[in-house]
Amino acid sequence: MMGQLYADALGGAVTELEYVDGRRVALQATRWFDLIDGDEALLERCASPTLDIGSGPGRLTVALTRRGVRALGIDITPRAVALTRRAGGFALLRDVFDEVPGSGQWTTALLADGNIGIGGHPEALLRRVRQLVRPGGTVLAEVAPPDTTSRVDRVRLRRGSSAGDWFGWATVSITDIQRLAHASGFAEVERWTAHGRWLACLS
């Protein structure tokens, strides 16, 4: 159900992210089709080959491909993968915790749009991504502002009376990323902002 609801959201259907406490936030999935302010700050740091984790409809994967950077997007939603391919990018239907082509050889891994929250366990995710990048490779992550509390929420997608299964999603504040990165095996962390977005480079 979750996959279908996300696919519907990519098609423009009004879909919400629902929290266990009853809060609902509109899922503006269509904003991920085109480049947005701050994307350039990520794209300019990507080197071949780049793995775009949770790539959605592929705006970053496609942009990198057009720049001549070899890039692969992975996503768990068939609709997202199909949209990326249709736009001219390379993408696979794949969970980051499953087997990923080129494991240990990626120069850059992208966790844009808050995808450091995938799985609800950011340390486990970063340890996994560290396995995917080559020695000396980097992970570019988009995190939350400094006034945000790092946390794990239980959420689900909802469209009208239809709701998906609950799943964990983590929020990581920029103030906590260095501690988390070191705990995950990364030695260096660079932090910066671009157009109101908070970004970190882990290496």
Side-chain angles (χ1 to χ4, degrees):
M1 175 65 78
M2 171 187 164
Q4 185 57 54
L5 289 171
Y6 180 52
D8 292 344
L10 290 173
V14 177
T15 306
E16 297 174 306
L17 190 66
E18 181 180 16
Y19 293 77
V20 290
D21 63 6
R23 287 181 296 132
R24 297 185 185 181
V25 178
L27 182 68
Q28 299 175 333
T30 54
R31 74 184 179 92
W32 295 319
F33 280 84
D34 301 309
L35 293 179
I36 58 178
D37 289 344
D39 280 349
E40 181 61 33
L42 292 170
L43 294 170
E44 67 185 6
R45 292 179 178 240
C46 293
S48 294
T50 290
L51 180 67
D52 186 4
I53 300 167
S55 52
R59 78 177 192 281
L60 297 177
T61 303
V62 172
L64 288 169
T65 301
R66 289 174 177 168
R67 292 170 180 230
V69 176
R70 288 183 290 124
L72 173 69
I74 58 172
D75 201 281
I76 61 171
T77 306
R79 174 69 172 163
V81 171
L83 287 169
T84 301
R85 293 173 176 173
R86 185 182 304 169
F90 296 96
L92 291 176
L93 184 66
R94 199 65 51 96
D95 187 308
V96 66
F97 291 102
D98 293 336
E99 183 178 347
V100 175
S103 179
Q105 301 176 35
W106 296 97
T107 301
T108 310
L110 274 175
L111 288 168
D113 303 321
N115 281 340
I116 195 171
I118 289 172
H121 196 322
E123 184 174 332
L125 175 62
L126 288 179
R127 287 185 181 277
R128 170 56 176 153
V129 178
R130 186 169 173 267
Q131 295 173 344
L132 296 174
V133 297
R134 64 170 177 78
T138 60
V139 177
L140 301 175
E142 182 172 355
V143 292
D147 57 351
T148 304
T149 300
S150 296
R151 63 186 186 278
V152 177
D153 292 300
R154 296 293 290 175
V155 297
R156 65 181 178 182
L157 297 182
R158 173 177 288 279
R159 179 165 55 82
S161 61
S162 298
D165 295 330
W166 295 102
F167 60 95
W169 190 268
T171 298
V172 176
S173 171
I174 190 73
T175 57
D176 294 321
I177 188 60
Q178 183 165 323
R179 173 189 56 78
L180 180 61
H182 289 169
S184 306
F186 293 92
E188 302 292 334
V189 179
E190 178 187 357
R191 295 172 288 185
W192 76 103
T193 63
H195 294 275
R197 296 166 69 182
W198 294 83
L199 308 168
C201 179
L202 285 51
S203 59

